[in-house]
Amino acid sequence: MMARVYTYEPFRRVVVELLRLMIRNILTVQAAGKDNPKNPDEEV
């Protein structure tokens, strides 16, 4: 199942936590293991 909301690195953690209260299906690039700067945008 694909995440409904996919946040990237500069997204504030507090915003992610607040969104999780409303939308359970949130994935961050860190949780997906894609937070390496060497990953091209297309891959992320």
Side-chain angles (χ1 to χ4, degrees):
M1 178 180 218
M2 184 175 268
R4 290 180 65 193
V5 176
Y6 187 63
T7 65
Y8 66 111
E9 292 148 334
F11 220 73
R12 291 192 171 265
R13 183 79 179 158
V14 67
V15 175
V16 172
E17 295 304 322
L18 289 171
L19 284 171
R20 281 192 173 134
L21 295 173
M22 298 180 287
I23 304 168
R24 295 198 180 256
N25 200 5
I26 294 179
L27 181 63
T28 63
V29 294
Q30 296 87 352
K34 301 284 185 177
D35 57 340
N36 185 337
K38 294 180 182 178
N39 288 336
D41 287 344
E42 297 81 24
E43 187 178 309
V44 173

